[in-house]
Amino acid sequence: MAEIVVLGAGLSGTLMAYELAPKLRKGDRLSVIGQGSRYHFVPSNPWVAVGWREKSDIEIDLDEVMRRKGIRHFTQGARRAHPAENRIELEDGSSIDYDYLVIATGPELAFDEVPGLGPDGHTQSVCHVDHALKARAAFERFVENPGPIIVGAAQGASCFGPAYEFAFILDTELRKRRIRDRVPMTFVTSEPYVGHLGLDGVGDTKGLLESEMRDRHIKWITNAKVKTVEAGKMTVEEVGDDGAVVRTHELPFAYSMMLPAFRGVTAVRGIEGLTNPRGFILTDKTQRNPAFPNIFAVGVGVAIPPVTVTPVPTGVPKTGFMIESMVTATAINIVALLRGETATAQATWNAVCLADFGDSGIAFVAQPEIPPRNVNWSSKGAWVHYAKVAFEKFFLRKIRLGESEPFYERFVLEKLGIRKIKQAS
Ligand code: FAD
């Protein structure tokens, strides 16, 4: 009988545990290691930051769900993985041994790579729900005395969608409060063009997002490297195609939210053979680490090379749809290995994304995520906002009930009726 451990209980780890549990043999034991007992739905953080959601609306206590599903739930967090010993050391000094490990630890937020960046510096973040709460308190202070806003994504960032979302959500909220006319807005991004998204664009995301920015009077700086952030001032270097600085901007701001670069978490970073230099887990096409073949990885913590070389470094986003396909492949592969068979299942790596603007939004389908693609589609409309609200509701229900069936594709096909993802399969 086997010990299977899932490290990390965010989006990918929770889906992983739910999908694996019913597939295991009688006597196999499944454990999940998280940091605290509560799951938070990260895609709703931008709404928390403007007061459209409370923290309690998007959090679920996993203890009860895991107990119901017969999954051991450790909430003290992991200090270090010891792959050569098949052991995870926990923060309280105890250890858990495993036969198979799935690493689902998501990103560490590399604010420290830019002086003054992040919630301990001078910019806000929506990457964690507690950051979003802090961003909200700062926003409430800001509306008392409005001024310029900067939103964007720093060099090395891989997750751009939430930056666009947050810029447009802020615009919507400021218009609701009738103070938008007092707020010059600038979008600062490491992408080479608006709508690149770390994916070299999807469909016409360039045209759609530029047009939306023009409509909403949001200026932008692309190929941007944030040099420093001080209280009320961001220094940004704009580089040319050869990477040389062509202009330095000193941008005043009264409120700023910048997404940082990601790296792998300290519990796994720097383990020879397990991670790349940024601490992301190296995997083959079956989500399996080549050096430690009893270790799989899913989610944002997986190493994926950039789609294109950009003048300012950017990474590839790992979105929910793609993450779920990694989870499904991993579940099939672990079960195959338990039966003495070979692990052959591969994730589909398609991206389907709903980016909310508060009153409308854009949706895109990239199949596969990395171009050239069989499906390369984007669309804009108020329907995207409502679809995202529905998505949140159904997803949280799934997590609360502990449903084990894959969710994303069913939601996209059945609830949204987006059939593009089936076109090329
Ligand atoms: P996470 O959900 O971050 O989970 C990682 C978990 O690992 C965390 O719970 C963490 O506590 C835990 N962990 C870390 N270290 C340890 C340790 N040492 N011991 C134990 N546990 C540990 N994707 C979409 O498809 N659609 C969206 O709308 C969307 N919106 C996003 C909005 C934001 C603001 C961000 C940042 C990302 C968004 N994404 C979206 C991308 C992606 O879907 C999410 O980031 C998703 O949460 C990633 O899942 P994950 O499991 O890899 O990481």
Side-chain angles (χ1 to χ4, degrees):
M1 292 300 116
E3 291 282 352
I4 297 119
V5 172
V6 177
L7 176 55
L11 189 132
S12 63
T14 308
L15 296 181
M16 189 73 245
Y18 290 1
E19 211 166 314
L20 253 182
K23 294 189 166 72
L24 296 178
R25 303 163 303 184
K26 208 165 182 283
D28 291 331
R29 192 159 63 166
L30 179 59
S31 305
V32 172
I33 304 169
Q35 288 170 318
S37 68
R38 291 180 180 268
Y39 170 82
H40 299 105
F41 186 55
V42 172
S44 295
N45 288 347
W47 291 340
V48 172
V50 289
W52 297 354
R53 290 288 182 283
E54 297 302 327
K55 181 178 178 180
S56 56
D57 295 333
I58 63 157
E59 82 178 351
I60 288 166
D61 193 335
L62 292 176
D63 258 346
E64 208 273 314
V65 195
M66 297 291 181
R67 195 174 317 116
R68 233 184 315 120
K69 293 183 73 70
I71 301 168
R72 293 198 304 170
H73 190 204
F74 297 87
T75 56
Q76 59 269 58
R79 186 180 295 157
R80 194 69 174 160
H82 298 280
E85 300 164 35
N86 297 325
R87 176 171 75 86
I88 300 288
E89 178 190 352
L90 301 184
E91 286 291 358
D92 61 6
S94 61
S95 279
I96 300 183
D97 296 329
Y98 58 80
D99 297 299
Y100 292 97
L101 171 67
V102 185
I103 299 179
T105 40
E108 185 173 283
L109 309 170
F111 293 115
D112 56 315
E113 291 174 356
V114 179
L117 195 76
D120 293 332
H122 306 289
T123 60
Q124 304 301 323
S125 156
V126 291
C127 291
H128 190 279
V129 68
D130 292 333
H131 294 169
L133 287 175
K134 208 173 164 194
R136 177 172 168 180
F139 181 67
E140 290 305 331
R141 288 194 300 277
F142 164 84
V143 295
E144 297 295 313
N145 188 17
I149 283 183
I150 303 173
V151 174
Q155 52 270 34
S158 49
C159 182
F160 297 96
Y164 287 100
E165 284 193 310
F166 196 57
F168 297 133
I169 285 170
L170 281 176
D171 169 79
T172 303
E173 182 61 17
L174 291 168
R175 278 187 285 113
K176 273 190 198 157
R177 296 190 190 215
R178 315 289 300 169
I179 55 169
R180 180 65 180 87
D181 57 330
R182 294 162 64 189
V183 182
M185 288 180 76
T186 309
F187 192 79
V188 170
T189 179
S190 48
E191 296 157 281
Y193 57 85
V194 163
H196 179 282
L197 302 168
L199 293 168
D200 204 3
V202 183
D204 190 28
T205 46
K206 180 175 192 288
L208 291 173
L209 286 166
E210 278 187 0
S211 157
E212 196 67 26
M213 295 250 190
R214 275 191 290 270
D215 269 358
R216 295 177 186 245
H217 291 280
I218 301 174
K219 294 193 170 126
W220 65 80
I221 301 171
T222 53
N223 276 335
K225 204 185 264 181
V226 183
K227 202 167 167 223
T228 53
V229 191
E230 297 158 58
K233 189 177 87 177
M234 188 179 295
T235 305
V236 172
E237 291 179 338
E238 188 180 342
V239 310
D241 287 345
D242 59 357
V245 178
V246 290
R247 202 169 151 199
T248 301
H249 303 260
E250 299 218 324
L251 304 171
F253 69 88
Y255 185 89
S256 174
M257 195 297 293
M258 293 293 291
L259 298 177
F262 291 166
R263 61 186 172 221
V265 304
T266 48
V268 295
R269 204 165 61 234
I271 297 174
E272 182 70 32
L274 185 67
T275 63
N276 73 6
R278 291 282 302 169
F280 293 113
I281 311 293
L282 297 163
T283 64
D284 63 14
K285 289 188 168 174
T286 65
Q287 302 304 128
R288 204 171 178 188
N289 177 258
F292 302 100
N294 61 340
I295 298 185
F296 290 76
V298 293
V300 173
V302 172
I304 302 183
V307 166
T308 50
V309 178
T310 48
V312 178
T314 55
V316 180
K318 294 147 208 169
T319 55
F321 195 90
M322 179 187 187
I323 290 172
E324 189 178 66
S325 81
M326 296 181 191
V327 164
T328 301
T330 301
I332 294 170
N333 286 334
I334 290 179
V335 170
L337 293 172
L338 290 174
R339 289 193 187 127
E341 297 162 9
T342 329
T344 54
Q346 298 185 10
T348 51
W349 289 44
N350 300 326
V352 177
C353 232
L354 303 173
D356 174 53
F357 301 166
D359 50 4
S360 74
I362 64 162
F364 63 78
V365 179
Q367 184 183 32
E369 186 173 69
I370 293 159
R373 305 187 177 109
N374 295 317
V375 178
N376 190 39
W377 174 85
S378 57
S379 178
K380 186 184 134 184
W383 69 271
V384 180
H385 171 69
Y386 297 108
K388 187 122 190 184
V389 172
F391 184 86
E392 178 201 49
K393 178 174 159 237
F394 285 109
F395 190 83
L396 285 170
R397 181 174 178 274
K398 174 196 165 80
I399 298 292
R400 194 175 301 114
L401 296 181
E403 288 170 355
S404 53
E405 303 78 35
F407 171 81
Y408 276 80
E409 184 159 332
R410 201 159 40 96
F411 182 84
V412 170
L413 287 170
E414 289 173 16
K415 298 267 189 263
L416 300 186
I418 300 177
R419 313 228 153 252
K420 298 276 174 195
I421 53 163
K422 280 286 177 212
Q423 260 181 21
S425 47

